[in-house]
Amino acid sequence: MVGMYVELPRGWLTHDFVKSEFMVTSEAILNQLRKQKFDDVIVHLDKSKIKRPVTAKPKQPDVIRDTPEPEPPPPKKVWDSEYVETAELRTFLDDKKLAPDDKAKKTYHASVDLMEHLLAFPNEANIKKSKQAIYEISEMALNEPDTAHHMLHLTTHDYQTYSHSVNVGFYATVLAKELYKNSNAHDMHELSAGFFLHDIGKTAIESDVLNKPGKLRDIEWQHIKTHPYMGYKMLRDANCLKEESKIIVLQHHEAYDGTGYPNRLKARDIHEYARICAIADVFDALTTDRVYKNAISSFDALRLMRNEMLLNFDAEIFKRFVQLFMT
Ligand SMILES: [Fe+2]
């Protein structure tokens, strides 16, 4: 029945569902469950939202409503100074007494503020200062698994380039940690900086084009597609990041099957770090509201990526990404 919260008896790799525990939200999912012919499926009644039949009410005449006014954009923040401030973020990161869920929330919001400030003034001094703060965020992601777990499940449906940068930075850092946990060959701090700054080149794109609802003209689309190179160039000019960070920025829109941009690189010609970032980038794009589409759930996003977009990604890395959401 739709509304049941079910637990499947087998592991993720042996069935078609992204998770082994989930809510049945549609008849289609219910039919898919039936097709799999499980011996036992546990139904958790305490987590279920089973709708009870209700007596049908007489149909009311349709009311013609006015089209709702579109939400006005949030007012632009005014900063005290054009230099980014990292003190608040550091306070939360250093606080040993904060509970993991509280620390995750506070760190997240302070990180988003930092990124918003940086993207408003993406100069060399701010890039350097932000890089230091990102180092410390990544330390938390690498060494405080409880807080990292809460961060992973914090979702904001609002899309802004700065919140997207933090989300992708965080997802990709946790994924890289998972992939490289038995290796010393990777500079996780540099990697994290590349992930958090992957879209810094968007500051070089006019916001009218970036936030345009509806179809982009070809010339506008070509303009947006310059942001990986623009970001690479900004970091190169700031001269404070290693090549491995910059390559993430340059290649994060390359696709495994060679259909990406700017250079239509294929498979392992795309740096592994950029392949990690591409997965986190698409996942966050799907799970947040955009001017042209509504957010979908993490579950639906992972399923869509697996069923319809897998050729765009490194399938092995994607599998590890899915596993992050199974705990
Ligand atoms: Fe991008």
Side-chain angles (χ1 to χ4, degrees):
M1 186 186 291
V2 173
M4 291 185 304
Y5 187 95
V6 295
E7 181 182 340
L8 308 183
R10 300 182 225 144
W12 179 71
L13 294 173
T14 58
H15 57 70
D16 286 347
F17 293 91
V18 176
K19 283 183 164 184
S20 295
E21 276 189 40
F22 54 86
M23 181 83 77
V24 178
T25 52
S26 68
E27 283 294 331
I29 295 177
L30 196 59
N31 287 336
Q32 209 181 340
L33 258 178
R34 288 187 186 118
K35 270 191 221 155
Q36 306 267 319
K37 297 199 169 90
F38 294 110
D39 293 335
D40 287 303
V41 173
I42 300 168
V43 178
H44 292 273
L45 286 174
D46 53 328
K47 296 180 183 171
S48 297
K49 289 181 187 164
I50 297 170
K51 287 181 190 151
R52 309 215 172 270
V54 290
T55 317
K57 287 185 183 162
K59 193 174 183 301
Q60 298 293 319
D62 289 338
V63 177
I64 299 168
R65 297 181 194 282
D66 291 336
T67 313
E69 287 285 317
E71 289 272 318
K76 259 201 175 305
K77 250 186 201 163
V78 181
W79 306 97
D80 292 339
S81 146
E82 72 176 60
Y83 293 103
V84 295
E85 199 37 78
T86 56
E88 189 191 36
L89 175 62
R90 288 208 159 89
T91 311
F92 298 139
L93 286 169
D94 292 344
D95 193 334
K96 304 271 181 274
K97 288 184 189 152
L98 277 177
D101 57 339
D102 200 19
K103 186 165 185 171
K105 234 180 274 169
K106 289 184 161 129
T107 305
Y108 178 76
H109 291 298
S111 307
V112 170
D113 273 355
L114 168 77
M115 194 57 71
E116 184 176 5
H117 204 157
L118 168 67
L119 296 185
F121 301 100
N123 55 48
E124 191 177 324
N126 282 344
I127 292 173
K128 283 184 176 154
K129 201 164 178 189
S130 304
K131 180 187 163 187
Q132 288 305 321
I134 293 167
Y135 272 20
E136 290 172 39
I137 299 170
S138 64
E139 274 297 301
M140 183 277 284
L142 302 173
N143 299 319
E144 297 181 38
D146 287 348
T147 309
H149 176 81
H150 284 286
M151 289 270 292
L152 201 60
H153 292 275
L154 272 182
T155 49
T156 134
H157 287 312
D158 270 9
Y159 176 83
Q160 296 289 346
T161 301
Y162 46 85
S163 50
H164 169 72
S165 299
V166 171
N167 298 350
V168 171
F170 199 78
Y171 293 138
T173 298
V174 175
L175 176 57
K177 179 198 168 192
E178 177 60 25
L179 293 168
Y180 304 140
K181 61 188 171 194
N182 299 321
S183 165
N184 292 323
H186 306 272
D187 183 337
M188 296 299 295
H189 292 134
E190 279 294 323
L191 272 187
S192 230
F195 295 142
F196 276 81
L197 298 174
H198 74 282
D199 259 350
I200 195 167
K202 281 195 178 161
T203 57
I205 311 292
E206 282 83 31
S207 59
D208 291 357
V209 176
L210 213 50
N211 302 315
K212 180 178 173 180
K215 206 170 169 358
L216 292 172
R217 290 186 297 143
D218 189 49
I219 194 166
E220 293 167 329
W221 182 228
Q222 294 307 328
H223 183 40
I224 284 188
K225 282 163 69 172
T226 61
H227 81 268
Y229 178 70
M230 298 306 289
Y232 178 82
K233 191 165 162 302
M234 286 166 78
L235 296 186
R236 190 184 62 194
D237 294 347
N239 197 25
C240 68
L241 284 144
K242 292 186 186 166
E243 189 59 22
E244 62 215 55
S245 299
K246 288 181 280 197
I247 209 81
I248 292 171
V249 178
L250 182 64
Q251 296 185 354
H252 73 275
H253 282 292
E254 299 290 356
Y256 203 77
D257 59 358
T259 58
Y261 63 87
N263 292 317
R264 298 180 74 88
L265 298 178
K266 252 187 171 170
R268 291 179 180 234
D269 287 343
I270 307 166
H271 197 290
E272 184 166 276
Y273 300 157
R275 283 182 259 143
I276 293 172
C277 192
I279 291 170
D281 191 18
V282 172
F283 176 76
D284 189 62
L286 291 170
T287 52
T288 44
D289 286 324
R290 297 290 180 104
V291 281
Y292 47 85
K293 63 141 198 77
N294 291 330
I296 59 174
S297 69
S298 303
F299 172 85
D300 288 339
L302 292 173
R303 200 169 51 168
L304 181 75
M305 288 167 80
R306 186 183 66 170
N307 292 349
E308 294 178 33
M309 306 171 79
L310 200 54
L311 292 179
N312 292 165
F313 309 122
D314 182 319
E316 278 308 306
I317 298 178
F318 177 68
K319 199 187 290 178
R320 304 288 287 276
F321 185 64
V322 173
Q323 285 166 356
L324 293 178
F325 291 86
M326 294 173 65
T327 52

